[in-house]
Amino acid sequence: MAAPMLGGIKDLPENENSAEIDDLARFAVQEHNKKQNTLLEFMKVKRARVQVVAGNMYYLDVEVNNGGKKEVYEAKIWVKLWENFKELQEFKPVGDSSS
């Protein structure tokens, strides 16, 4: 498989690195819960994209259970494997038109 172009965001096929992507999504939900004192529960990844930066920036649309209500958030996670570095950059509701 060809390496993604530096700076370009590309969709990841649904089954590509799915265990790794699920782990990243779980990490994002856990980090958000810690920072915001919420109890969101990971359900599934609806869409995964990656951008090659200094490492990889993952953009994941994550479906969560929020007190029995399904919600979708976009998680932005920066990963540098060679440094064992993983950081949640952003975690925000998708399609929140109330703002």
Side-chain angles (χ1 to χ4, degrees), residues 11-19 21-22 45-48:
D11 279 302
L12 290 175
E14 275 184 44
N15 58 355
E16 185 177 310
N17 304 322
S18 57
I21 296 301
D22 279 358
V45 174
K46 296 179 67 75
R47 183 177 182 202

Side-chain angles (χ1 to χ4, degrees), residues 18-77:
S18 57
E20 179 189 352
I21 296 301
D22 279 358
D23 284 349
L24 282 174
R26 286 177 204 282
F27 166 79
V29 172
Q30 288 168 356
E31 286 295 296
H32 176 76
N33 282 341
K34 271 194 274 185
K35 288 178 185 172
Q36 300 298 321
N37 198 25
T38 54
L39 293 170
L40 301 180
E41 187 183 327
F42 170 74
M43 292 173 67
K44 67 180 179 182
V45 174
K46 296 179 67 75
R47 183 177 182 202
R49 293 170 295 150
V50 66
Q51 178 181 24
V52 176
V53 290
N56 287 327
M57 189 70 73
Y58 289 92
Y59 298 85
L60 307 178
D61 290 354
V62 181
E63 188 174 294
V64 299
N65 177 351
N66 186 4
K69 190 173 136 203
K70 277 187 191 175
E71 296 178 349
V72 179
Y73 287 83
E74 182 181 74
K76 186 174 162 185
I77 307 149

Side-chain angles (χ1 to χ4, degrees), residues 72-89:
V72 179
Y73 287 83
E74 182 181 74
K76 186 174 162 185
I77 307 149
W78 186 17
V79 178
K80 293 190 271 186
L81 287 177
W82 67 95
E83 290 182 10
N84 201 20
F85 172 88
K86 182 167 44 175
E87 182 178 273
L88 180 63
Q89 300 278 303

